[in-house]
Amino acid sequence: MSLKRSGEMYLETILILSQRGEPVHAVDVAKHMNFSKPSVSRALGLLRDGGYLEADAQGHLILSPSGAEVAHKIYERHRLMTEFLVYLGVDRDVAVEDACKMEHDISEESFEAFKVYARKLGLI
């Protein structure tokens, strides 16, 4: 299964919610993303079918190794690009929104260049 932007967003959201130390359920994802429960259930089913996500008997969502890899990659991009935009003088709220759009479309080569420059600036 090739992931689209929406699949990456779901995986990133599950990662972010799981970092709070509480089990993540579909309803948590729906609330966080402000999506309907049926939409979330359908998307999570596709992610499970694609091998990116698992659910235990209690309905706790667990990223598979491939799902965690994607989620961490997207979240790293989001965090770095947000900080880079803020460094450039963009309002943090705007930077967060813009980084969310950019994180899915930027090439690996361009992102690596961002990382190198961010290291030079002391952002990471």
Side-chain angles (χ1 to χ4, degrees), residues 2 6-8 10 13 16 26 33 40 50 53 55 64 67 74 79 83-84 95-96 101 105 107 110 117 124:
S2 133
S6 63
E8 292 174 345
Y10 279 101
T13 297
I16 291 167
M33 297 180 82
V40 170
L53 182 65
S64 70
I74 295 299
R79 289 189 335 257
E83 293 309 316
F84 197 83
V96 168
K101 296 169 192 167
D105 294 325
S107 70
S110 292
Y117 195 67
I124 58 173

Side-chain angles (χ1 to χ4, degrees), residues 14-71:
I14 293 165
L15 173 66
I16 291 167
L17 293 173
S18 70
Q19 291 176 342
R20 296 178 180 170
E22 298 287 325
V24 180
H25 296 89
V27 68
D28 303 319
V29 175
K31 284 180 187 175
H32 185 84
M33 297 180 82
N34 200 25
F35 290 167
S36 72
K37 292 176 194 172
S39 295
V40 170
S41 292
R42 182 180 173 342
L44 296 179
L46 292 171
L47 290 169
R48 274 193 301 272
D49 292 346
Y52 295 100
L53 182 65
E54 300 165 6
D56 67 14
Q58 291 80 33
H60 302 152
L61 302 175
I62 303 157
L63 296 171
S64 70
S66 61
E69 182 180 339
V70 170

